[in-house]
């Protein structure tokens, strides 16, 4: 489930790796389903942090169920499976932990049935507060117009979450997270659970 959209029927293993230097972060994230249909995605991301602002560049690459006949190195805008997205995130303050996020796809695999780029846009407000060592979050995500996420303006990612880090030893811990998500455009609801090792 990503931004209120169901991308797969199956649970998934999602490895990631990242490197940081000063205000820069570069990383890659992937998702591989473990049952039913085969959905494979591998992305990279670049973040530059400037105070409370973060500037983000994402490259999404998702293979269809067949998973064959496609080249990772094809970046032709009319046929590539890469989608490039630019985003900006702003955290108000530590005393009022509200984060505002906006992102728009600007190149590649964000085409309508006529092959035109849709410039699909996602906007989100996320408020997180820590209570008894649990991070409780309330989030609202929407798209302002027709695109990848919905056929018109729509609230697509409304819900709440709870995140807790569990110490297994003095040096090793796992992070657990549960989320309840509503998508009004698809009239759907999801209950999610993730474990980060």
């Amino acid at each position: 489930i990503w931004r209120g959209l169901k991308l797969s029927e199956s649970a998934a293993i999602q490895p990631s790796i990242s490197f940081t230097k000063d205000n820069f972060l570069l990383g890659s994230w992937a998702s591989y389903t473990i049952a039913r249909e085969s959905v494979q995605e591998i992305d990279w991301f670049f973040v530059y942090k400037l105070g409370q602002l973060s500037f983000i560049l994402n490259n999404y690459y998702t293979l269809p169920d067949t998973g064959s006949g496609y080249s990772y190195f094809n970046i032709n805008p009319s046929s590539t499976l890469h989608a490039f997205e630019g985003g900006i995130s702003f955290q108000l303050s530590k005393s009022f932990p509200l984060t505002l996020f906006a992102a728009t796809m600007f190149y590649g695999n964000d085409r309508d049935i006529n092959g035109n780029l849709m410039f699909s846009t996602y906007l989100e407000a996320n408020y997180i507060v820590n209570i008894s060592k649990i991070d409780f979050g309330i989030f609202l995500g929407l798209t302002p117009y027709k695109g990848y996420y919905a056929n018109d303006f729509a609230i697509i990612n409304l819900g709440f979450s709870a995140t807790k880090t569990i110490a297994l030893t003095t040096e090793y811990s796992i992070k657990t997270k549960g989320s309840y998500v509503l998508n009004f455009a698809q009239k759907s609801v999801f209950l999610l659970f993730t474990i980060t090792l």
Side-chain angles (χ1 to χ4, degrees), residues 63-112:
L63 281 171
D65 290 351
T66 57
S68 61
Y70 297 91
S71 170
Y72 181 82
F73 301 101
N74 173 18
I75 56 171
N76 186 309
S78 63
S79 59
T80 183
L81 294 182
H82 291 270
F84 288 85
E85 176 188 73
I88 187 168
S89 176
F90 177 71
Q91 185 176 20
L92 268 66
S93 67
K94 291 183 178 181
S95 60
F96 189 70
L98 176 67
T99 300
L100 303 176
F101 173 73
T104 298
M105 297 185 192
F106 62 87
Y107 184 90
N109 193 18
D110 181 42
R111 302 175 290 266
D112 62 18

Side-chain angles (χ1 to χ4, degrees), residues 3-16:
R3 297 180 181 174
L5 303 179
K6 182 173 70 172
L7 304 184
S8 168
E9 296 284 347
S10 170
I13 296 173
Q14 300 179 333
S16 66

Side-chain angles (χ1 to χ4, degrees), residues 103-179:
T104 298
M105 297 185 192
F106 62 87
Y107 184 90
N109 193 18
D110 181 42
R111 302 175 290 266
D112 62 18
I113 58 174
N114 298 315
N116 299 314
L117 192 64
M118 295 186 291
F119 294 98
S120 298
T121 296
Y122 177 74
L123 308 173
E124 183 182 280
N126 188 10
Y127 182 84
I128 299 177
V129 60
N130 186 280
I131 302 174
S132 299
K133 297 183 179 180
I134 300 176
D135 288 330
F136 292 96
I138 302 173
F139 51 87
L140 169 64
L142 60 87
T143 187
Y145 49 75
K146 181 178 180 179
Y148 172 76
Y149 303 101
N151 291 325
D152 204 343
F153 170 89
I155 295 173
I156 58 172
N157 191 28
L158 174 66
F160 58 87
S161 64
T163 305
K164 182 175 177 59
T165 299
I166 301 173
L168 300 181
T169 69
T170 55
E171 298 181 351
Y172 185 74
S173 61
I174 62 172
K175 184 169 72 173
T176 61
K177 181 178 181 179
S179 302

Side-chain angles (χ1 to χ4, degrees), residues 34-72:
I34 59 176
R36 298 191 181 184
E37 84 280 29
S38 174
V39 178
Q40 300 178 38
E41 177 177 354
I42 183 164
D43 309 332
W44 61 261
F45 52 88
F46 173 79
V47 181
Y48 175 68
K49 189 172 177 61
L50 185 63
Q52 295 163 262
L53 279 172
S54 294
F55 299 93
I56 305 159
L57 177 64
N58 290 314
N59 171 27
Y60 305 116
Y61 181 77
T62 304
L63 281 171
D65 290 351
T66 57
S68 61
Y70 297 91
S71 170
Y72 181 82

